[in-house]
Amino acid sequence: MTMERPGETVADAAPSSQQRIPNRQLAALIAEAGFSNAGLARRVDQLGLEHGLDLRYDKTSVTRWLRGQQPRGTTPALIAEVFTRRLGRRLTAQDLGLDACAPVYAGLEFAASPAEAVDIVSGLWRKDSGSHAELRKIAFTPAGLVVPSRDWLIGRADERVARGPEPESPGGGPGGPPGPGGGGPAGPAAAGVGASGVGTALGASRGQGSGHGAGSGHGLAAAAARPGGAGPGGGLRVPAQTRVGGGIGVASRAPSLAAARLERVERGPGQRVSGGDVAALRSVCELFRALDHAYGGGHARQALVRYLEHEAEPMLRGVYGEQLGRRLFAAAADLTRLAGWTSYDIAAHGLAQRYFVQALRLTQAAGDRAFGSYVLVTMSRQAVYLGHGREAVQLARVAQQGVGTSVPPVVQALLHAAEARGHGVLGEVRACTASLARAERALEAARPSEDVPGWARFFDEAQLADEFGHCHRDLQQYRAAAQHAERSLQLRGAGFARSRLFCRVVLASARLGLGEIEQACGLAAEAAHQAAEMRSVRAHEYVRDFERRLEPYRDAAAVRQYREKVSAMV
């Protein structure tokens, strides 16, 4: 943990000969927030701890800031975040009369425009693609959920996302293309530096780390595009993207056709996006999703991120109309949510949180309110996993409020089940039971003929039984948990290997709670064997959770045998 001495500032290290000017902006905001000097210092220290910093500021430090001294390092951004949380509006270090620095919550901003959203999310893709380990160590922060979920709830779909062709510059050459939403030239966005500072905070340069070339992220996608290329479910193929012209072409057209084809292969910003391009994004997403379900998020996560960097970003910075643009943003949102989901599965929780927030913002550009609610549910599930039940409930309720009754019953069931999981973690029996009942009624109301979004089709009787099993386990209602977990395992398809593993551990925990130690250990041993073949931190953590529950029974013969089996696997 990084340590700073109490009250240390830039001015302490290098005293200025100039007379300091009192910081009236900071004084006004302290008064507005109702902070004492000691209270502000304490909150900055607490926020620092979330980011691995041992700051140890005190009321004297704040007095120095008010007299005009500048805090060192990232402290100005931390102070700005403290006021953002307190006052409910986004504030920067400059708003507080402090020196500018990158925001500590880079990647958690809910962008003001589609152009800014592309800048922020592409900054995440590039930094993550560069194999920067520190990005995967960023801490999850519950407070970072408040502003994005609120802005999504009260926001509307962006009025314009289309990007026109590059205009002619006065010298006859192409000028900079307008950003999404018609916001003028792309400017720094071309280098991945957004107005919010995400380029500085997350690293915008390409090719860092392992030296990945532009084609390094396409191995899986290319394999899927070949005849016979498929994911675990088989038969999954990526449609060909739009080709320029037809056939090989006659000699007189060969040079222009060859150049056009090369341009299509080596995609760059400013090129026209086709319907085939968007269909390819969707198909590749399904491929990566199938890999995630079967083998864990760590199996192909890095390839997914590189695909986003080298394929999705140039498309988002390309040329497209309104209708196609909405579809493009929707596909990018789906892929970005999946990047977050796979990051969550390998316990990169702060990074996952940032991907989820940016996916949520992309759904607003897509005008897809229903998928936005699903992203919020994904965020709610992460909060449940990390033990933040109250935040999980709030996110699920924001999702419900944001779509009302405009979504199919299956989606409503999904939203109510997510709320139930939050109540379960909190031990709120009545609220959990009520939410589960609403989810059950909604799923019963679903009709086969209804048009259900592809992302919601996984929510069936098997998934609902799984939700019941988890909730009853968390409420220590073990007999009901066992019944629902068994039913889920009976109904769940083999392709959802990780979900089946989770449910098997829930069943093992329920059997243990009922005193059936031998049966519980047998189930857990199966799960441990499956977890050993997956690249999923969550899978291993489920097994470890069961093993913690075994501690009171450590002297039982079945427990000793279980531990011997697991040790042999390792």
Side-chain angles (χ1 to χ4, degrees):
M1 179 176 287
T2 303
M3 181 181 293
E4 289 188 13
R5 291 188 293 274
E8 187 180 50
T9 65
V10 172
D12 292 332
S16 173
S17 60
Q18 298 179 349
Q19 185 177 6
R20 297 189 185 95
I21 300 174
N23 191 334
R24 301 189 186 282
Q25 290 171 267
L26 180 60
L29 285 166
I30 288 175
E32 182 182 352
F35 288 148
S36 65
N37 287 7
L40 174 58
R42 184 174 63 254
R43 287 171 172 82
V44 173
D45 290 347
Q46 290 170 345
L47 184 57
L49 288 174
E50 294 182 15
H51 295 269
L53 299 172
D54 186 12
L55 299 176
R56 303 189 184 183
Y57 287 116
D58 56 24
K59 62 181 180 181
T60 304
S61 307
V62 178
T63 300
R64 290 173 180 165
W65 302 340
L66 288 168
R67 290 175 180 170
Q69 290 185 353
Q70 288 291 331
R72 62 176 294 177
T74 60
T75 300
L78 292 169
I79 300 170
E81 184 59 32
V82 167
F83 281 101
T84 293
R85 294 184 182 187
R86 179 73 164 208
L87 300 176
R89 63 179 187 272
R90 178 61 59 188
L91 293 166
T92 65
Q94 296 105 305
D95 295 328
L96 278 63
L98 302 174
D99 287 345
C101 68
V104 291
Y105 286 101
L108 290 178
E109 308 95 328
F110 198 82
S113 69
E116 186 184 0
V118 171
D119 291 344
I120 294 172
V121 76
S122 61
L124 273 174
W125 296 337
R126 282 195 296 277
K127 179 73 170 179
D128 194 10
S129 176
S131 298
H132 290 265
E134 70 272 15
L135 188 63
R136 300 190 255 294
K137 295 178 182 176
I138 298 174
F140 174 91
T141 171
L145 302 170
V146 176
V147 173
S149 58
R150 180 204 64 194
D151 287 356
W152 175 84
L153 180 61
I154 64 177
R156 296 180 180 178
D158 294 292
E159 291 185 5
R160 185 171 185 271
V161 299
R163 284 174 55 104
E166 294 184 353
E168 291 291 317
S169 66
V193 182
S196 63
V198 71
T200 301
L202 296 174
S205 62
R206 295 179 183 268
Q208 299 180 30
S210 304
H212 302 110
S216 62
H218 303 307
L220 283 166
R226 291 193 297 268
L236 192 65
R237 297 174 64 182
V238 180
Q241 298 184 20
T242 301
R243 291 184 171 84
V244 179
I248 296 176
V250 295
S252 63
R253 298 175 59 200
S256 60
L257 280 174
R261 289 192 180 105
L262 179 61
E263 198 175 75
R264 293 298 299 171
V265 172
E266 300 295 334
R267 176 177 292 283
Q271 294 182 8
R272 183 167 295 281
V273 178
S274 72
D277 294 328
V278 177
L281 291 181
R282 287 294 193 185
S283 293
V284 169
C285 189
E286 290 308 311
L287 168 64
F288 280 114
R289 203 185 326 272
L291 291 171
D292 169 66
H293 286 318
Y295 306 117
H299 180 73
R301 195 195 77 85
Q302 206 64 31
L304 167 58
V305 173
R306 290 174 194 147
Y307 182 82
L308 281 162
E309 178 191 7
H310 296 296
E311 290 293 323
E313 182 186 354
M315 289 187 201
L316 289 168
R317 297 192 189 282
V319 176
Y320 42 82
E322 280 299 319
Q323 185 175 3
L324 185 61
R326 303 283 181 192
R327 290 169 51 201
L328 173 60
F329 273 95
D334 198 5
L335 281 160
T336 302
R337 191 211 71 89
L338 184 57
W341 183 257
T342 55
S343 301
Y344 158 47
D345 198 47
I346 64 168
H349 291 296
L351 176 59
Q353 183 181 21
R354 282 154 176 78
Y355 274 130
F356 294 149
V357 168
Q358 296 315 313
L360 185 66
R361 180 58 183 88
L362 293 175
T363 68
Q364 185 163 300
D368 193 341
R369 197 73 168 168
F371 189 67
S373 73
Y374 180 49
V375 175
L376 284 166
V377 162
T378 308
M379 297 163 71
S380 177
R381 292 194 180 284
Q382 183 186 28
V384 164
Y385 179 80
L386 295 174
H388 300 294
R390 184 59 55 207
E391 287 78 7
V393 169
Q394 290 169 349
L395 287 165
R397 286 178 173 173
V398 168
Q400 293 167 26
Q401 187 176 350
V403 296
T405 58
S406 65
V407 292
V410 170
V411 177
Q412 294 179 34
L414 189 159
L415 303 182
H416 290 303
E419 181 182 349
R421 291 289 298 275
H423 289 303
V425 167
L426 293 168
E428 297 173 344
V429 177
R430 182 177 295 181
C432 181
T433 303
S435 292
L436 286 174
R438 286 193 290 271
E440 189 171 35
R441 287 195 299 270
L443 193 61
E444 288 173 350
R447 297 290 177 266
S449 59
E450 287 175 331
D451 186 16
V452 177
W455 48 263
R457 289 173 191 157
F458 79 96
F459 200 90
D460 53 13
E461 289 186 42
Q463 182 62 34
L464 182 61
D466 180 275
E467 308 285 7
F468 269 80
H470 276 84
C471 288
H472 286 300
R473 180 206 60 182
D474 292 340
L475 296 173
Q476 299 182 22
Q477 298 171 343
Y478 295 122
R479 193 162 302 282
Q483 291 171 351
H484 289 290
E486 284 180 337
R487 174 167 171 73
S488 180
L489 287 169
Q490 290 168 359
L491 297 174
R492 179 85 74 182
F496 294 92
R498 187 181 53 209
S499 295
R500 289 180 59 83
L501 183 156
F502 293 163
C503 197
R504 184 168 278 108
V505 175
V506 169
L507 178 56
S509 299
R511 291 297 177 201
L512 185 65
L514 293 169
E516 301 169 5
I517 300 175
E518 188 171 345
Q519 189 175 356
C521 288
L523 288 162
E526 290 180 46
H529 176 73
Q530 293 168 345
E533 297 179 349
M534 287 188 181
R535 295 179 63 181
S536 168
V537 174
R538 282 193 301 151
H540 291 283
E541 184 54 38
Y542 263 71
V543 174
R544 282 194 291 269
D545 176 71
F546 172 80
E547 291 172 350
R548 287 189 288 268
R549 295 169 186 261
L550 275 182
E551 192 57 28
Y553 313 96
R554 59 183 175 275
D555 296 328
V559 175
R560 290 198 302 270
Q561 291 171 5
Y562 164 80
R563 286 180 170 161
E564 288 172 3
K565 277 186 183 179
V566 173
S567 297
M569 291 177 199
V570 175

